[in-house]
Amino acid sequence: MNPVRTGFPCPLTRRRRFGWPRRVFAQVLLMQLAVATGVTVLATGLFLAPLSAQLDDQAMRRALAIAGTTASPRLAAGLTGGPPSARGPVQTEAERVRAATGAEYVVVMDTRGVRWSHPDPVQIGRVVSTDPSAALAGREVMEIDSGTLGRSARGKVPLRDADGRTVGAVSVGIEYDSVRDRLLGAIPGLLAHAGGALAVGALAAYLISRRLQRQTHDLAFSDISALLAEREAMLHGIREGVVALDRTGSVRLMNDEAQRLLGLGPEAAGRPLDEVLGRGRTADVLAGRVTGEDLVTVRGHRVLIANRMPTDDGGAVATLRDRTELEHLGRELDATRGLIDALRAQDHEHANRMHTLLGLLELEMHEEAVEFVTEVVGVHRATAEQVTEKVHDPLLAALLVGKATVAAERGVSLRLAPDSLLPDRLVDPRELVTVVGNLVDNALDAAAGTPDARVGVSFRTQGRTVVLRVSDSGPGVPEERRELIFTEGWTTKAPPVHGKRGLGLALVRRLAERRGGTATVAGGPDGGAEFAVVLPDALSDAPAEVPSDVPAALEPAEEAR
């Protein structure tokens, strides 16, 4: 019966591969075990190497101490009592000391090197096998040497009589096999301690490796390398800004799109967010001081949508989407709707006037019909002429004429201040169109529905600086909110279909500040709010040339009137 193919390797046919493991935790565990074993072996060897020399030195010093204690004037007096003898006082004293101290031998010799004592009585009366000249010369000697009793640790001292004269020497030997036995006896205990230290190190390595396994999700080094490469490709390839922050609020990484949207460079990495961006809503949103989803913020001339997600290590990852083009489209849609509303209002008003004119003609009231048409045409021409006389820029003039029509339908009177004057020397007319459009729209919304609703617009120039004021008869702005209303995302209106509100006044202030100007709000002369915008260097130095065909185009209408 054939086994069922499931796409997974069959346990019976799986081939085992022996070698270096792929998982991170396993490699780290093996490396830590190797390091711990190597350190243990090295420490044990470094400890054993000087131990043998230390034991030799201790044995030689012990032999020297025994020899020094034995070499007394009383023992020296025994060298003068007769020839060396196995039963003499010197041999008796030497054997007593040897038995009491556990020394291998205690040999007393005279100035000729003849032994007066020895563990083997046969050696008494014979010359010693090693050179005694250093001890007989009055110096103490420590050495490891071989003699008639084998290899031993020796200590030799001169033997002096009561008058201080050297009459011989005392040599004491410690069996070297006992020194070696002490060294070998210390090795098992040392290895036991080393094994215990190795076991503790292995346990610690295992625990660290298990923690590393959880943190790396049991990945292999090749998997981590591939994930890192994929992350780099994804971060720098997507058309959405990504900003990663650590737990201290410093920038951990920032992809290319985020650098473009925020106007920053690679040097921002590692620096605090507030230091990089400065104080403002953008920094507050990315730092988490403002919470919510799809938060709107303005950075330079860009409108951004930000979302922030905290990470397990206390940091956060923020994403940024550029809504500048969409916002422009939305505003163009609003302008188009405003134009449609103006056309609809004009169409409605035109239909009423045509019905009135038709009624006058049917009633054969021809003179009244002529007066009615003259009056209607004069009112519209007067409104357009009033605007164009004070506002020479065609874009702004067209904007204000259209806003006046919309205002009239909403029951609001839109007026230009009598002393207003704006020459046709604007450096960037579209910039001022954005400012005027936002402020007039807000003023119309505020004034609509109030008694004697009105909106006032004033243009003043001071050199190359343009000062714009827009006032309304609405409820006004409380003093405690006069700075808050310029914050991105702050609004009291319902959001439109195409996106979010709370950007108009923020853009107005941002445009003014970009030119080094200001945008403020205060109480207006009509009881509502008055917005003042100062735009330095908004006018060019020299007046713009007026095309020769413009007056010709305007004069026929003048003549027809």
Side-chain angles (χ1 to χ4, degrees):
M1 181 176 180
N2 295 329
V4 179
R5 297 183 180 271
T6 60
F8 296 97
C10 179
L12 297 178
T13 60
R14 181 183 298 172
R15 292 182 299 175
R16 289 183 174 270
R17 292 184 178 181
F18 298 96
W20 190 251
R22 296 180 62 249
R23 303 299 179 190
V24 174
F25 89 97
Q27 292 189 24
V28 172
L29 177 60
L30 288 181
M31 288 187 290
Q32 288 179 325
L33 289 177
V35 170
T37 303
V39 169
T40 302
V41 172
L42 180 62
T44 303
L46 292 177
F47 182 79
L48 287 176
L51 180 60
S52 176
Q54 291 176 2
L55 292 176
D56 288 348
D57 185 71
Q58 291 176 3
M60 290 187 293
R61 291 185 180 278
R62 180 186 169 202
L64 186 64
I66 296 173
T69 304
T70 305
S72 63
R74 185 171 61 86
L75 183 64
L79 296 180
T80 62
S85 171
R87 298 181 179 277
V90 175
Q91 170 71 0
T92 303
E93 179 65 17
E95 286 299 301
R96 183 189 68 80
V97 172
R98 185 178 71 85
T101 59
E104 182 181 15
Y105 64 83
V106 177
V107 174
V108 180
M109 68 192 77
D110 57 19
T111 55
R112 298 172 299 168
V114 177
R115 300 186 184 98
W116 284 66
S117 66
H118 196 277
D120 183 6
V122 176
Q123 300 295 332
I124 296 175
R126 296 180 181 179
V127 178
V128 295
S129 59
T130 57
D131 184 14
S133 58
L136 293 175
R139 298 192 300 272
E140 296 181 346
V141 178
M142 293 189 305
E143 61 183 1
I144 303 292
D145 204 352
S146 299
T148 57
L149 297 178
R151 191 172 180 80
S152 61
R154 300 181 178 183
K156 299 179 181 180
V157 297
L159 178 61
R160 294 182 174 89
D161 60 11
D163 297 329
R165 294 176 300 173
T166 302
V167 296
V170 178
S171 175
V172 176
I174 304 296
E175 186 179 7
Y176 193 74
D177 289 341
S178 65
V179 177
R180 186 177 57 187
D181 291 341
R182 289 181 61 192
L183 176 62
L184 296 178
I187 291 178
L190 180 61
L191 293 179
H193 287 85
L198 181 60
V200 172
L203 178 61
Y206 175 76
L207 295 177
I208 293 174
S209 300
R210 292 294 296 177
R211 186 170 184 268
L212 185 62
Q213 181 184 17
R214 292 192 299 270
Q215 291 181 338
T216 59
H217 302 284
D218 199 18
L219 293 175
F221 276 114
S222 58
D223 298 332
I224 295 177
S225 178
L227 288 175
L228 180 61
E230 292 170 1
R231 189 201 69 164
E232 290 298 316
M234 179 184 66
L235 285 178
H236 298 288
I238 61 176
R239 301 301 298 171
E240 185 168 312
V242 178
V243 180
L245 306 173
D246 59 19
R247 66 178 61 192
T248 64
S250 298
V251 178
R252 182 179 295 167
L253 67 87
M254 185 179 296
N255 70 345
D256 299 339
E257 183 67 6
Q259 295 176 18
R260 185 183 71 86
L261 295 178
L262 297 176
L264 302 174
E267 68 277 0
R271 297 169 57 191
L273 183 65
D274 292 335
E275 177 185 329
V276 171
L277 296 179
R279 298 181 61 184
R281 178 176 170 83
T282 303
D284 292 340
V285 169
L286 297 184
R289 292 188 287 268
V290 178
T291 58
E293 296 181 355
D294 293 338
L295 297 174
V296 181
T297 182
V298 177
R299 177 71 177 177
H301 64 283
R302 300 186 183 279
V303 180
L304 307 176
I305 299 296
N307 285 281
R308 186 177 186 274
M309 178 65 66
T311 56
D312 294 338
D313 62 352
V317 174
T319 59
L320 300 170
R321 300 196 306 273
D322 191 357
R323 280 184 58 96
T324 307
E325 297 298 330
L326 182 60
E327 193 63 30
H328 288 334
L329 292 175
R331 293 191 177 279
E332 290 181 6
L333 177 61
D334 288 341
T336 304
R337 287 180 175 175
L339 179 60
I340 293 174
D341 290 341
L343 293 175
R344 180 178 56 79
Q346 289 183 350
D347 178 67
H348 186 267
E349 186 178 1
H350 179 70
N352 291 335
R353 291 168 181 167
M354 290 300 295
H355 292 157
T356 303
L357 180 61
L358 179 61
L360 291 174
L361 292 176
E362 288 180 350
L363 295 175
E364 297 182 357
M365 301 174 66
H366 301 100
E367 293 183 2
E368 288 80 356
V370 172
E371 292 177 359
F372 177 75
V373 172
T374 302
E375 179 183 359
V376 169
V377 173
V379 169
H380 281 279
R381 178 176 291 274
T383 301
E385 288 181 351
Q386 181 186 12
V387 173
T388 55
E389 284 177 1
K390 296 177 173 59
V391 180
H392 297 169
D393 184 82
L395 287 179
L396 277 174
L399 174 69
L400 290 174
V401 170
K403 295 296 183 183
T405 304
V406 175
E409 186 191 16
R410 300 181 64 178
V412 181
S413 173
L414 179 61
R415 299 174 301 174
L416 268 174
D419 56 350
S420 293
L421 181 62
L422 184 65
D424 188 14
R425 292 190 291 117
L426 291 176
V427 175
D428 189 355
R430 295 182 181 274
E431 184 178 90
L432 196 56
V433 166
T434 299
V435 174
V436 174
N438 281 320
L439 294 181
V440 171
D441 285 341
N442 289 341
L444 291 177
D445 292 338
T450 62
D452 192 18
R454 56 193 178 278
V455 172
V457 180
S458 169
F459 292 100
R460 305 281 179 85
T461 59
Q462 300 173 359
R464 297 180 58 190
T465 301
V466 174
V467 180
L468 166 67
R469 296 182 183 274
V470 178
S471 61
D472 61 71
S473 60
V477 179
E479 188 173 354
E480 65 273 9
R481 293 189 176 183
R482 289 179 181 176
E483 284 298 318
L484 184 62
I485 62 174
F486 291 101
T487 305
E488 299 97 328
W490 191 92
T491 182
T492 58
K493 305 174 185 177
V497 177
H498 63 81
K500 297 180 179 290
R501 287 194 181 272
L503 296 176
L505 292 178
L507 286 175
V508 168
R509 171 165 281 187
R510 202 55 73 84
L511 287 173
E513 291 178 346
R514 192 170 64 181
R515 285 195 171 274
T518 58
T520 57
V521 60
D526 297 326
E530 183 180 58
F531 288 83
V533 179
V534 179
L535 297 173
D537 299 327
L539 298 176
S540 59
D541 292 327
E545 293 186 4
V546 179
S548 58
D549 59 339
V550 172
L554 294 177
E555 286 186 11
E558 200 67 37
E559 292 175 357
R561 190 177 63 173

